[in-house]
Amino acid sequence: MKYGIIALAAGFIIDLIVGDPRWLYHPVCLIGKLISFLEKRIRGVFPKTEKGELAGGILEVVLVCGLSGGVPLLVLSWLYCCCPWAGLLLETFWCYQLLATKSLKTESMKVYDRLKNGTIEEARYAVSMIVGRDTKDLTEEGVTKAAVETVAENTSDGIIAPMLYMAIGGVPLMFLYKGINTMDSMLGYKNDRYLYFGRCAAKLDDVVNYLPARISGWLMVAAAFLVGMDGKNAARIYRRDRRNHASPNSAQTEAVMAGALDVQLAGNAWYFGKLYEKPTIGDPIRPIEAEDIRRSNRLLYATAGLGLVTFVGLRLAAGIYFRML
């Protein structure tokens, strides 16, 4: 979109100020309802075989991608033609809604507050709202690690990746990314229900996050130096441990976070009552503590700010270059 870079900068600032108020309906909730609606109908049509599940999952991906990216594209194209200022306002509003900087901090700090001022049961409940693993038996260390890991991973998925796609193709591409990312979070499980039906969604999410995750990793390394954390160790652990995860992307920012904080993250975790053995990330130079949640959010904000400056700068430079051709 013509004014996409203005909408990106303005949307980012509004997100930092306002966050996600509970009374405001979120577009990702609408995408989630679309995914559930389509899954139910597609499963009723395709045979319950491996090939049928795979074909149904591919159709789900095609339909969700077409609608999540196509509808905003049509709406904004019409608005920009009829009333450019209305188009800019709507694109800014949607950009603000699709970024998660403040909400990620807010939700993770609820865990911090319960660790410092509440009970371990309350802390487990708070962290269960932002992670997919089983939390009922987590120790204080386990709760803290889960919160810090979530901040690290979602720095890419919830902030840098959406900003990158917004800078490239405006809010429609940002919506397309969120559609793919939401499908992965809802369908991308390796269990009996989604092993085949969710495979296409999971693989596509790996593809669209491949570059953003690595950009996020290096931005986070730079941010670690800026905020006075252990930038040298962040870079070292990133190079060493960035592949210590079943996903090709998840360990990218987790490795930087572990190195910057001088702690060890990841390791074995329980999901749906089953223990998954996973490698650790980082070195236990010191024990992890509740204050690391606050520190992780400092790194989150610094990385997000660097991302905005980088993408806006590159977009402006590209615009100047193409005008000179």
Side-chain angles (χ1 to χ4, degrees), residues 58-134:
I58 291 171
L59 178 60
E60 172 101 11
V61 167
V62 170
L63 291 175
V64 171
C65 287
L67 290 169
S68 62
V71 172
L73 177 63
L74 291 174
V75 171
L76 285 172
S77 296
W78 178 77
L79 267 182
Y80 273 120
C81 286
C82 298
C83 181
W85 283 107
L88 176 59
L89 287 174
L90 181 59
E91 190 166 20
T92 298
F93 176 71
W94 274 343
C95 174
Y96 141 66
Q97 284 197 295
L98 293 179
L99 291 176
T101 312
K102 185 171 183 178
S103 63
L104 182 54
K105 177 188 175 184
T106 299
E107 294 304 313
S108 62
M109 287 304 292
K110 289 179 182 177
V111 181
Y112 172 82
D113 177 69
R114 293 299 83 199
L115 286 170
K116 301 294 283 188
N117 305 309
T119 65
I120 186 63
E121 289 77 16
E122 290 171 336
R124 289 168 181 159
Y125 176 77
V127 82
S128 74
M129 296 293 101
I130 57 175
V131 301
R133 73 189 67 180
D134 297 345

Coordinates of all heavy atoms in Angstrom, one line a residue, residues 58-134:
I58 N -4.4 -29.0 2.9 CA -3.9 -28.1 1.9 C -5.0 -27.1 1.5 O -4.8 -25.9 1.3 CB -3.4 -28.9 0.6 CG1 -2.1 -29.6 1.0 CG2 -3.2 -28.0 -0.6 CD1 -1.7 -30.6 -0.1
L59 N -6.3 -27.7 1.3 CA -7.4 -26.8 1.0 C -7.6 -25.8 2.1 O -7.9 -24.6 1.8 CB -8.7 -27.6 0.8 CG -9.9 -26.8 0.5 CD1 -9.8 -26.0 -0.8 CD2 -11.1 -27.8 0.4
E60 N -7.5 -26.2 3.4 CA -7.6 -25.2 4.5 C -6.6 -24.1 4.4 O -7.0 -22.9 4.5 CB -7.4 -26.0 5.8 CG -7.3 -25.1 7.0 CD -8.6 -25.0 7.8 OE1 -9.5 -25.8 7.6 OE2 -8.7 -24.2 8.7
V61 N -5.4 -24.4 4.1 CA -4.3 -23.4 3.9 C -4.7 -22.5 2.8 O -4.5 -21.2 2.9 CB -3.0 -24.1 3.7 CG1 -1.9 -23.1 3.3 CG2 -2.5 -24.8 5.0
V62 N -5.1 -23.0 1.7 CA -5.4 -22.1 0.5 C -6.5 -21.2 0.8 O -6.4 -20.0 0.5 CB -5.7 -23.0 -0.7 CG1 -6.3 -22.1 -1.8 CG2 -4.5 -23.8 -1.2
L63 N -7.6 -21.7 1.5 CA -8.7 -20.8 1.8 C -8.4 -19.8 2.8 O -8.8 -18.6 2.7 CB -9.9 -21.7 2.2 CG -10.5 -22.6 1.1 CD1 -11.6 -23.5 1.8 CD2 -11.1 -21.8 0.0
V64 N -7.7 -20.2 3.9 CA -7.4 -19.2 4.9 C -6.4 -18.2 4.4 O -6.6 -17.0 4.7 CB -6.8 -19.9 6.2 CG1 -6.2 -18.9 7.2 CG2 -7.8 -20.8 6.8
C65 N -5.4 -18.6 3.6 CA -4.5 -17.6 3.1 C -5.2 -16.6 2.1 O -5.0 -15.4 2.2 CB -3.4 -18.3 2.3 SG -2.2 -19.1 3.4
G66 N -6.1 -17.2 1.3 CA -6.8 -16.3 0.3 C -7.7 -15.3 1.0 O -7.7 -14.1 0.6
L67 N -8.4 -15.7 2.1 CA -9.3 -14.8 2.8 C -8.6 -13.9 3.7 O -8.9 -12.7 3.8 CB -10.3 -15.6 3.6 CG -11.3 -16.4 2.7 CD1 -12.1 -17.4 3.6 CD2 -12.3 -15.4 2.0
S68 N -7.6 -14.3 4.5 CA -6.9 -13.5 5.4 C -6.1 -12.4 4.8 O -5.9 -11.3 5.3 CB -6.0 -14.3 6.4 OG -5.0 -15.0 5.7
G69 N -5.5 -12.7 3.6 CA -4.8 -11.7 2.9 C -5.6 -10.9 1.9 O -5.4 -9.7 1.6
G70 N -6.6 -11.6 1.2 CA -7.4 -11.0 0.2 C -8.4 -10.0 0.6 O -8.5 -8.9 0.0
V71 N -9.1 -10.3 1.7 CA -10.1 -9.3 2.2 C -9.5 -8.0 2.6 O -10.0 -6.9 2.1 CB -10.9 -10.0 3.4 CG1 -11.8 -8.9 4.0 CG2 -11.7 -11.2 2.9
P72 N -8.4 -7.9 3.4 CA -7.8 -6.6 3.7 C -7.3 -5.9 2.4 O -7.4 -4.7 2.3 CB -6.6 -7.0 4.6 CG -7.0 -8.3 5.2 CD -7.8 -9.0 4.2
L73 N -6.8 -6.7 1.5 CA -6.3 -6.1 0.2 C -7.4 -5.4 -0.5 O -7.2 -4.3 -1.0 CB -5.6 -7.2 -0.7 CG -5.1 -6.7 -2.0 CD1 -4.0 -5.7 -1.9 CD2 -4.6 -7.9 -2.8
L74 N -8.5 -6.1 -0.7 CA -9.7 -5.5 -1.4 C -10.2 -4.3 -0.6 O -10.5 -3.2 -1.3 CB -10.8 -6.5 -1.5 CG -10.5 -7.7 -2.5 CD1 -11.6 -8.7 -2.4 CD2 -10.3 -7.2 -3.9
V75 N -10.3 -4.4 0.7 CA -10.9 -3.2 1.5 C -10.0 -2.0 1.4 O -10.4 -0.9 1.1 CB -11.1 -3.7 2.9 CG1 -11.5 -2.4 3.8 CG2 -12.2 -4.7 3.0
L76 N -8.7 -2.2 1.6 CA -7.7 -1.1 1.6 C -7.6 -0.5 0.2 O -7.4 0.7 0.0 CB -6.4 -1.5 2.1 CG -6.3 -1.7 3.7 CD1 -5.0 -2.3 4.1 CD2 -6.5 -0.4 4.4
S77 N -7.6 -1.4 -0.8 CA -7.5 -0.9 -2.2 C -8.6 0.1 -2.5 O -8.4 1.1 -3.1 CB -7.4 -2.0 -3.2 OG -6.3 -2.8 -3.0
W78 N -9.8 -0.4 -2.1 CA -11.0 0.5 -2.4 C -10.9 1.8 -1.6 O -11.2 2.9 -2.2 CB -12.2 -0.3 -2.0 CG -13.5 0.5 -2.2 CD1 -14.2 0.8 -3.4 CD2 -14.2 1.2 -1.1 NE1 -15.3 1.6 -3.1 CE2 -15.3 1.8 -1.8 CE3 -14.1 1.3 0.2 CZ2 -16.3 2.6 -1.0 CZ3 -15.0 2.0 1.0 CH2 -16.1 2.7 0.3
L79 N -10.5 1.7 -0.3 CA -10.5 2.9 0.5 C -9.4 3.9 0.0 O -9.6 5.1 -0.1 CB -10.1 2.5 1.9 CG -11.3 2.3 2.9 CD1 -10.8 2.0 4.3 CD2 -12.2 3.6 2.9
Y80 N -8.2 3.4 -0.4 CA -7.2 4.2 -0.9 C -7.6 4.9 -2.2 O -7.1 6.1 -2.4 CB -5.9 3.5 -1.1 CG -5.0 3.4 0.2 CD1 -4.7 2.2 0.8 CD2 -4.6 4.5 0.8 CE1 -3.9 2.1 1.9 CE2 -3.8 4.5 2.0 CZ -3.5 3.2 2.5 OH -2.7 3.2 3.7
C81 N -8.4 4.3 -3.0 CA -8.9 4.9 -4.2 C -9.9 6.0 -3.9 O -9.9 7.0 -4.6 CB -9.5 3.8 -5.2 SG -8.2 2.8 -5.9
C82 N -10.8 5.7 -3.0 CA -11.9 6.6 -2.7 C -11.5 7.7 -1.7 O -11.9 8.9 -1.9 CB -13.1 5.8 -2.1 SG -13.8 4.6 -3.2
C83 N -10.7 7.4 -0.7 CA -10.4 8.3 0.3 C -9.1 7.9 1.0 O -9.0 7.1 1.9 CB -11.5 8.4 1.4 SG -11.2 9.6 2.7
P84 N -7.9 8.4 0.4 CA -6.6 7.9 0.9 C -6.4 8.1 2.4 O -5.8 7.2 3.0 CB -5.7 8.8 0.2 CG -6.4 9.2 -1.1 CD -7.8 9.3 -0.7
W85 N -7.0 9.1 3.0 CA -6.8 9.3 4.5 C -7.5 8.2 5.3 O -7.0 7.7 6.3 CB -7.3 10.7 4.9 CG -6.3 11.8 4.6 CD1 -6.4 12.7 3.6 CD2 -5.0 12.0 5.2 NE1 -5.2 13.5 3.5 CE2 -4.4 13.1 4.5 CE3 -4.3 11.3 6.2 CZ2 -3.1 13.5 4.8 CZ3 -3.0 11.8 6.5 CH2 -2.4 12.9 5.9
A86 N -8.7 7.8 4.8 CA -9.4 6.7 5.4 C -8.6 5.4 5.3 O -8.6 4.6 6.2 CB -10.8 6.6 4.8
G87 N -8.0 5.2 4.1 CA -7.2 4.0 4.0 C -6.0 4.0 4.9 O -5.7 3.0 5.5
L88 N -5.3 5.2 5.0 CA -4.2 5.2 5.9 C -4.6 5.0 7.4 O -3.9 4.3 8.1 CB -3.5 6.6 5.8 CG -2.4 6.9 6.8 CD1 -1.3 5.9 6.6 CD2 -1.9 8.3 6.6
L89 N -5.7 5.6 7.8 CA -6.2 5.4 9.2 C -6.5 3.9 9.4 O -6.1 3.3 10.5 CB -7.4 6.2 9.4 CG -7.2 7.7 9.6 CD1 -8.5 8.4 9.7 CD2 -6.3 8.0 10.8
L90 N -7.2 3.2 8.5 CA -7.5 1.8 8.7 C -6.3 1.0 8.7 O -6.2 0.0 9.5 CB -8.5 1.4 7.6 CG -9.0 -0.1 7.7 CD1 -9.7 -0.3 9.1 CD2 -9.9 -0.5 6.6
E91 N -5.4 1.2 7.8 CA -4.1 0.4 7.7 C -3.3 0.6 9.0 O -2.7 -0.3 9.5 CB -3.3 0.8 6.5 CG -2.2 -0.2 6.3 CD -1.5 0.0 4.9 OE1 -1.7 1.0 4.2 OE2 -0.8 -1.0 4.5
T92 N -3.3 1.8 9.5 CA -2.6 2.1 10.8 C -3.2 1.3 11.9 O -2.6 0.7 12.7 CB -2.6 3.6 11.1 OG1 -1.9 4.3 10.1 CG2 -1.9 3.9 12.4
F93 N -4.6 1.4 12.0 CA -5.3 0.7 13.0 C -5.1 -0.8 13.0 O -4.8 -1.5 14.0 CB -6.8 1.0 12.9 CG -7.7 0.2 13.9 CD1 -7.6 0.6 15.2 CD2 -8.5 -0.8 13.5 CE1 -8.4 -0.1 16.2 CE2 -9.3 -1.5 14.4 CZ -9.2 -1.2 15.7
W94 N -5.1 -1.4 11.8 CA -4.9 -2.8 11.6 C -3.5 -3.2 12.0 O -3.2 -4.2 12.6 CB -5.2 -3.3 10.2 CG -6.7 -3.6 10.0 CD1 -7.6 -3.9 11.0 CD2 -7.4 -3.7 8.8 NE1 -8.8 -4.1 10.5 CE2 -8.7 -4.1 9.1 CE3 -7.1 -3.6 7.5 CZ2 -9.7 -4.3 8.1 CZ3 -8.0 -3.8 6.5 CH2 -9.3 -4.2 6.8
C95 N -2.5 -2.4 11.6 CA -1.1 -2.6 11.9 C -0.9 -2.6 13.4 O -0.3 -3.5 14.0 CB -0.2 -1.6 11.3 SG 1.5 -1.7 11.8
Y96 N -1.5 -1.7 14.1 CA -1.5 -1.6 15.6 C -2.0 -2.9 16.2 O -1.5 -3.5 17.1 CB -2.2 -0.4 16.1 CG -3.1 -0.6 17.3 CD1 -2.4 -0.8 18.5 CD2 -4.5 -0.5 17.3 CE1 -3.2 -1.1 19.7 CE2 -5.2 -0.7 18.4 CZ -4.6 -1.0 19.6 OH -5.3 -1.2 20.7
Q97 N -3.2 -3.4 15.7 CA -3.8 -4.5 16.2 C -2.9 -5.8 16.0 O -3.0 -6.7 16.9 CB -5.2 -4.8 15.6 CG -6.2 -3.8 16.1 CD -7.6 -4.4 15.8 OE1 -8.0 -4.4 14.7 NE2 -8.4 -4.7 16.8
L98 N -2.2 -5.9 14.9 CA -1.5 -7.1 14.6 C -0.1 -7.1 15.2 O 0.6 -8.2 15.1 CB -1.4 -7.2 13.1 CG -2.7 -7.5 12.4 CD1 -2.5 -7.6 10.8 CD2 -3.4 -8.8 12.9
L99 N 0.4 -6.1 15.8 CA 1.6 -6.1 16.5 C 1.4 -6.4 18.0 O 0.3 -6.1 18.5 CB 2.4 -4.7 16.4 CG 2.9 -4.4 15.0 CD1 3.5 -3.0 15.0 CD2 3.9 -5.4 14.6
A100 N 2.3 -7.1 18.7 CA 2.1 -7.6 20.0 C 3.1 -7.2 21.0 O 3.3 -7.9 22.0 CB 2.0 -9.1 19.9
T101 N 3.8 -6.0 20.8 CA 4.9 -5.7 21.7 C 4.4 -5.5 23.1 O 4.9 -6.1 24.1 CB 5.6 -4.4 21.2 OG1 5.8 -4.5 19.8 CG2 6.9 -4.2 21.9
K102 N 3.5 -4.6 23.3 CA 3.0 -4.3 24.7 C 2.3 -5.5 25.3 O 2.4 -5.8 26.5 CB 2.2 -3.0 24.7 CG 1.8 -2.6 26.2 CD 1.1 -1.3 26.2 CE 0.9 -0.9 27.7 NZ 0.3 0.4 27.9
S103 N 1.4 -6.1 24.5 CA 0.7 -7.2 25.1 C 1.6 -8.4 25.5 O 1.3 -9.0 26.5 CB -0.4 -7.7 24.1 OG 0.3 -8.3 22.9
L104 N 2.6 -8.6 24.8 CA 3.6 -9.7 25.2 C 4.3 -9.3 26.5 O 4.4 -10.1 27.4 CB 4.6 -9.9 24.1 CG 5.7 -10.9 24.3 CD1 5.0 -12.3 24.6 CD2 6.6 -11.0 23.1
K105 N 4.6 -8.0 26.6 CA 5.2 -7.6 27.9 C 4.2 -7.7 29.0 O 4.5 -8.2 30.1 CB 5.7 -6.2 27.8 CG 6.2 -5.6 29.1 CD 6.5 -4.1 29.0 CE 6.9 -3.6 30.4 NZ 7.1 -2.1 30.3
T106 N 3.0 -7.3 28.8 CA 1.9 -7.3 29.8 C 1.6 -8.7 30.3 O 1.6 -8.9 31.5 CB 0.6 -6.6 29.2 OG1 0.9 -5.3 28.9 CG2 -0.5 -6.7 30.3
E107 N 1.5 -9.6 29.4 CA 1.1 -11.0 29.8 C 2.3 -11.7 30.5 O 2.1 -12.4 31.5 CB 0.7 -11.8 28.5 CG -0.6 -11.3 27.9 CD -1.7 -11.3 28.9 OE1 -1.9 -12.2 29.6 OE2 -2.5 -10.2 28.9
S108 N 3.5 -11.4 30.0 CA 4.7 -12.0 30.7 C 4.9 -11.4 32.1 O 5.3 -12.1 33.0 CB 5.9 -11.9 29.9 OG 6.3 -10.6 29.6
M109 N 4.6 -10.1 32.2 CA 4.8 -9.5 33.5 C 3.7 -9.9 34.5 O 3.9 -9.8 35.8 CB 4.8 -8.0 33.4 CG 6.0 -7.4 32.7 SD 7.5 -7.9 33.7 CE 7.3 -6.9 35.2
K110 N 2.6 -10.5 34.1 CA 1.6 -11.1 35.0 C 2.2 -12.3 35.7 O 2.0 -12.5 36.8 CB 0.4 -11.5 34.2 CG -0.5 -10.3 33.8 CD -1.7 -10.8 33.0 CE -2.6 -9.6 32.5 NZ -3.7 -10.1 31.7
V111 N 3.0 -13.0 34.9 CA 3.8 -14.2 35.5 C 4.8 -13.7 36.5 O 4.8 -14.2 37.6 CB 4.5 -15.0 34.4 CG1 5.2 -16.2 35.0 CG2 3.5 -15.4 33.3
Y112 N 5.5 -12.6 36.2 CA 6.5 -12.1 37.1 C 5.8 -11.6 38.4 O 6.3 -11.9 39.5 CB 7.2 -10.9 36.4 CG 8.0 -10.1 37.4 CD1 9.3 -10.5 37.7 CD2 7.6 -8.9 38.0 CE1 10.1 -9.7 38.5 CE2 8.4 -8.1 38.8 CZ 9.7 -8.6 39.1 OH 10.5 -7.8 39.9
D113 N 4.7 -10.9 38.3 CA 3.9 -10.4 39.4 C 3.5 -11.6 40.3 O 3.6 -11.5 41.6 CB 2.7 -9.6 39.0 CG 1.9 -9.1 40.2 OD1 2.4 -8.3 40.9 OD2 0.8 -9.7 40.3
R114 N 3.0 -12.7 39.8 CA 2.6 -13.8 40.6 C 3.7 -14.5 41.2 O 3.6 -15.1 42.3 CB 1.7 -14.8 39.7 CG 0.4 -14.2 39.2 CD -0.5 -13.9 40.4 NE -0.3 -12.5 40.9 CZ -0.6 -12.1 42.1 NH1 -1.3 -12.9 42.9 NH2 -0.4 -10.9 42.5
L115 N 4.9 -14.6 40.5 CA 6.1 -15.2 41.2 C 6.5 -14.3 42.4 O 7.0 -14.9 43.4 CB 7.2 -15.3 40.1 CG 7.0 -16.4 39.1 CD1 8.1 -16.2 38.0 CD2 7.1 -17.8 39.7
K116 N 6.4 -13.0 42.2 CA 6.9 -12.1 43.3 C 5.9 -11.9 44.4 O 6.3 -11.8 45.6 CB 7.3 -10.8 42.7 CG 8.4 -10.9 41.6 CD 9.8 -11.3 42.2 CE 10.5 -10.2 42.9 NZ 11.9 -10.6 43.3
N117 N 4.6 -11.8 44.0 CA 3.6 -11.4 45.0 C 2.5 -12.4 45.2 O 1.6 -12.1 46.0 CB 3.0 -10.1 44.5 CG 4.1 -9.0 44.3 OD1 4.9 -8.8 45.2 ND2 4.0 -8.3 43.2
G118 N 2.6 -13.5 44.5 CA 1.5 -14.5 44.6 C 2.0 -15.9 45.0 O 3.0 -16.0 45.7
T119 N 1.2 -16.9 44.6 CA 1.6 -18.3 44.9 C 2.1 -18.9 43.6 O 1.9 -18.4 42.5 CB 0.4 -19.0 45.4 OG1 -0.6 -19.1 44.3 CG2 -0.2 -18.3 46.6
I120 N 2.7 -20.1 43.8 CA 3.2 -20.8 42.6 C 2.1 -21.3 41.7 O 2.2 -21.3 40.5 CB 4.1 -22.0 43.0 CG1 4.8 -22.7 41.8 CG2 3.3 -23.0 43.9 CD1 5.7 -21.8 41.0
E121 N 0.9 -21.6 42.4 CA -0.2 -22.0 41.6 C -0.7 -20.9 40.7 O -1.1 -21.1 39.5 CB -1.4 -22.5 42.5 CG -1.1 -23.8 43.2 CD -0.2 -23.7 44.4 OE1 0.0 -22.6 44.8 OE2 0.3 -24.7 44.8
E122 N -0.7 -19.7 41.3 CA -1.1 -18.5 40.5 C -0.1 -18.2 39.3 O -0.5 -17.8 38.2 CB -1.3 -17.3 41.4 CG -2.4 -17.3 42.3 CD -2.4 -16.2 43.4 OE1 -1.3 -15.7 43.6 OE2 -3.5 -15.9 43.9
A123 N 1.1 -18.4 39.6 CA 2.2 -18.2 38.6 C 2.0 -19.2 37.5 O 2.2 -18.9 36.3 CB 3.6 -18.3 39.2
R124 N 1.7 -20.5 37.9 CA 1.5 -21.5 36.8 C 0.3 -21.2 36.0 O 0.4 -21.4 34.7 CB 1.3 -22.9 37.5 CG 2.5 -23.5 38.2 CD 2.1 -24.7 39.0 NE 3.3 -25.3 39.7 CZ 3.2 -26.0 40.8 NH1 2.0 -26.2 41.4 NH2 4.3 -26.5 41.3
Y125 N -0.7 -20.7 36.6 CA -1.9 -20.3 35.8 C -1.6 -19.2 34.8 O -2.0 -19.2 33.7 CB -3.1 -19.9 36.7 CG -4.3 -19.4 35.9 CD1 -5.1 -20.3 35.3 CD2 -4.6 -18.1 35.8 CE1 -6.2 -19.9 34.6 CE2 -5.6 -17.6 35.1 CZ -6.5 -18.5 34.5 OH -7.6 -18.1 33.7
A126 N -0.9 -18.2 35.3 CA -0.5 -17.0 34.5 C 0.3 -17.4 33.3 O 0.1 -17.0 32.2 CB 0.2 -16.0 35.3
V127 N 1.3 -18.3 33.5 CA 2.1 -18.7 32.4 C 1.4 -19.7 31.5 O 1.7 -19.7 30.3 CB 3.4 -19.4 32.9 CG1 3.2 -20.9 33.3 CG2 4.5 -19.2 31.9
S128 N 0.4 -20.4 32.0 CA -0.4 -21.3 31.1 C -1.2 -20.5 30.0 O -1.6 -21.0 29.0 CB -1.4 -22.1 31.9 OG -2.5 -21.3 32.4
M129 N -1.4 -19.2 30.3 CA -2.1 -18.3 29.3 C -1.3 -18.0 28.1 O -1.8 -17.5 27.1 CB -2.6 -17.0 30.0 CG -3.6 -17.3 31.2 SD -5.2 -17.9 30.6 CE -5.1 -19.6 31.0
I130 N 0.0 -18.2 28.2 CA 0.9 -17.7 27.1 C 1.8 -18.8 26.6 O 2.6 -18.6 25.7 CB 1.8 -16.5 27.6 CG1 2.6 -16.9 28.8 CG2 0.9 -15.3 27.8 CD1 3.6 -15.8 29.2
V131 N 1.7 -20.0 27.1 CA 2.5 -21.1 26.6 C 1.6 -22.3 26.2 O 0.5 -22.4 26.7 CB 3.6 -21.6 27.6 CG1 4.5 -20.4 27.9 CG2 3.0 -22.2 28.9
G132 N 2.1 -23.2 25.4 CA 1.4 -24.4 25.0 C 1.7 -25.7 25.8 O 1.0 -26.6 25.8
R133 N 2.7 -25.6 26.7 CA 3.1 -26.8 27.4 C 2.3 -27.0 28.7 O 1.5 -26.1 29.1 CB 4.6 -26.7 27.9 CG 4.8 -25.6 29.0 CD 6.3 -25.4 29.2 NE 6.9 -24.7 28.1 CZ 8.2 -24.3 28.0 NH1 9.0 -24.6 29.0 NH2 8.6 -23.7 26.9
D134 N 2.4 -28.2 29.3 CA 1.7 -28.4 30.5 C 2.4 -27.6 31.7 O 3.6 -27.6 31.7 CB 1.7 -29.9 30.9 CG 1.0 -30.8 29.9 OD1 0.2 -30.2 29.1 OD2 1.2 -32.0 29.8

